[in-house]
Structures are given as C-alpha cells and as structure tokens.
Amino acid sequence: MEEKVARLREMVRESDNIVFFGGAGVSTESGIPDFRSVDGLYNQKWKYPPETILSHSFFERDPAEYYRFHREKLVIDGVKPNRAHLRLAELEAEGKLRAVITQNIDGLHQAAGSRNVLELHGSILRAYCSRCRRPYPAEKMNHGQGVPRCVCGGIIRPDIVLYEEPLDDDVVRRAVDYIRKAEVLIIGGTSLNVYPAAGLINYYKGDKLVLVNLSETPYDNYADLVIHEKIGEVFSQI
Ligand code: APR
C-alpha cells in the first residue's frame, strides 16, 4: 500500500486540477452503512427490498412505509465528517481540488467545509412539496411522525433522486464538465454499480484515474492506480 499511496500523494502534490467522484463508502467511517457491502443497507431484511422502497412508484403508493424506512435507515443522527471528507475540503481550500461529485445524500462533504459539491442524488437535508414544490425544512420530514403534508395538502418529499427518477440535468452537465477537464480523477467509496452516475467517469480523458475502494469495481482495469484500502486511511496520508 505504501508505494501506491506515495504515487497518489505525488499526483496530488503536482496537480491543481483534481476532481473527486464518491459514493457511500466515503461515509461508512462516519457510521453510515453503505448499500451493497455485506452489512450494507440493501442486504438488511425489510418488509420490501430497500431498492423498492427507495423508488418513485413506491413513494407514491405507500408514503407511510417509505417514511418509516426513511426515518429509520436514511436519517442517522450525530454523524460527523471523517478524515476523507476533511482532507477533500482541505484540498479544495488549497486550490488543488476543483469539485466533489457525490452520490451521497448525507451532506457530510459540506459539513466538512467543501464548498463546490455536486450532489448527483440530492440530499436528505432538503425537502419540498411533491405537489406545489414549496420548500420545507428537512426537520419536519426527517424527525416528524407519519406522512408530512404541505399547506396545499400535497405530500412533502426529500430532495433526493429516487429510483425511476431522472438526475438533475444541470448537476449532470456540470459534473461532466469537471470530469472531462480534470487532470486527476479520484474515485472513492463507490461500487460503480448505479447508472447514469457511474457512467459519468467515462468522460475522463486524462491518464491519472485513481480508484480508492475497499472492494473491486468494474472499472479497476481502466484505472491508472487502484488502492483497495479504507479511504479515510488513505486520505489521511496524502
Ligand atoms: N473505504 C473505501 N471503500 C469503502 C469503504 C471505506 N471505508 N467502505 C465501503 N467501501 C466501498 C465498498 O467496498 C463498496 O464497493 O464502497 C463501496 C460502496 O458501494 P455501494 O454500497 O454500492 O454504494 P454506492 O456506490 O454509493 O451506491 C451508488 O446506489 O442505491 C443507490 O442511490 C444509491 O447513491 C447510491 C448508489
């Protein structure tokens, strides 16, 4: 690992155009389970498969059950940014990192001080009415009881991308632009299983594609450097 981390440290030292693309594995060291690891969310037993509950049609059909899952599994109180989040915020402040592109909805990159964060799947720290789109404080949704309702009678929903829903065009356009122009693209804590998010990394044209992930991913063979270690550990050394 030493030699690989030294190579990554060198890439970071030499560049002022780094882009980070991350997933749930960035937040596991903050106590938030990821989705597809053995102890991940999708391997926990629920009345319905979590991928079903986190879909647009399920939210419409059974909002009460959606909110039971949301409050029990998506909202984890007291979580703090970890060494990976903090180092990324430092690299941005040092003028080396241009953007964090994340699939996570936990807001931990912003909590760590990152300013340019593109949330491909939105955030559970924002809510709005599914009928009139009036914005609401997330508190009412994340810690209330039952199905939260807007003054117009519509159901209040999280500002996240549920399955069957499209990603935000503007966020995708900006993410592609950063990736296309990046000198160094560091991908961390993601199984690269979910599209269109995972497909965005195909826009990278450089020769410094780094993968920091505990397990193998379908993109390992395309990377210029692969480090199968804990991202917090690796980032504390670069
Ligand atoms: N350090 C490095 N890698 C880690 C760590 C860690 N501390 N912890 C977990 N990982 C790795 C796991 O090995 C796994 O490959 O992070 C990856 C997490 O993959 P997933 O659980 O599939 O999460 P993610 O890739 O973010 O899922 C993408 O799927 O369900 C949707 O919307 C959801 O955004 C999510 C998307």
Side-chain angles (χ1 to χ4, degrees):
M1 161 150 148
E2 287 316 309
E3 187 268 330
K4 288 188 168 186
V5 172
R7 270 187 68 199
L8 175 55
R9 193 182 304 121
E10 196 53 23
M11 287 181 188
V12 167
R13 195 181 59 77
E14 288 171 354
S15 178
D16 65 354
N17 179 4
I18 303 168
V19 170
F20 180 75
F21 180 98
V26 179
S27 294
T28 52
E29 293 170 58
S30 294
I32 300 177
D34 64 15
F35 292 93
R36 296 174 182 83
S37 290
V38 169
D39 56 351
L41 196 55
Y42 291 167
N43 294 318
Q44 297 173 19
K45 292 289 158 266
W46 260 71
K47 213 161 116 188
Y48 305 93
E51 297 93 313
T52 301
I53 300 175
L54 292 171
S55 69
H56 181 85
S57 44
F58 189 92
F59 183 87
E60 302 264 302
R61 188 171 65 246
D62 191 347
E65 180 64 6
Y66 169 82
Y67 269 107
R68 207 166 67 79
F69 182 86
H70 177 105
R71 290 172 182 136
E72 183 156 335
K73 289 292 168 186
L74 296 187
V75 181
I76 302 182
D77 291 324
V79 289
K80 296 261 180 300
N82 63 56
R83 295 176 296 180
H85 298 107
L86 294 166
R87 187 67 188 113
L88 285 163
E90 280 173 3
L91 290 172
E92 181 189 59
E94 292 164 15
K96 300 176 93 42
L97 183 114
R98 301 279 175 92
V100 167
I101 300 165
T102 185
Q103 300 167 88
N104 296 348
I105 58 175
D106 57 33
L108 287 179
H109 285 293
Q110 293 91 329
S114 287
R115 302 162 69 89
N116 193 22
V117 180
L118 282 70
E119 295 171 312
L120 293 173
H121 294 160
S123 170
I124 56 167
L125 303 184
R126 297 188 299 272
Y128 64 91
C129 172
S130 49
R131 180 189 292 172
C132 71
R133 302 190 74 81
R134 175 197 294 253
Y136 274 89
E139 219 26 51
K140 181 173 171 121
M141 165 184 72
N142 290 339
H143 293 100
Q145 297 293 325
V147 177
R149 291 266 175 192
C150 171
V151 289
C152 80
I155 294 177
I156 295 172
R157 61 158 290 167
D159 184 15
I160 63 174
V161 179
L162 296 169
Y163 278 106
E164 302 159 3
E165 294 179 342
L167 272 61
D168 179 281
D169 285 340
D170 182 54
V171 173
V172 171
R173 190 183 50 71
R174 288 170 55 224
V176 166
D177 196 44
Y178 279 114
I179 292 173
R180 197 202 301 275
K181 292 173 180 165
E183 178 183 12
V184 180
L185 176 62
I186 304 175
I187 300 167
T190 175
S191 62
L192 293 171
N193 259 313
V194 170
Y195 286 79
L200 299 186
I201 65 176
N202 293 317
Y203 288 96
Y204 177 64
K205 300 290 169 251
D207 58 357
K208 295 186 177 72
L209 175 62
V210 182
L211 246 172
V212 182
N213 203 63
L214 268 184
S215 55
E216 281 209 13
T217 77
Y219 283 81
D220 281 26
N221 297 333
Y222 300 96
D224 300 291
L225 176 61
V226 180
I227 305 177
H228 286 156
E229 299 289 347
K230 292 180 80 166
I231 190 164
E233 194 55 45
V234 172
F235 272 38
S236 64
Q237 300 176 53
I238 60 169

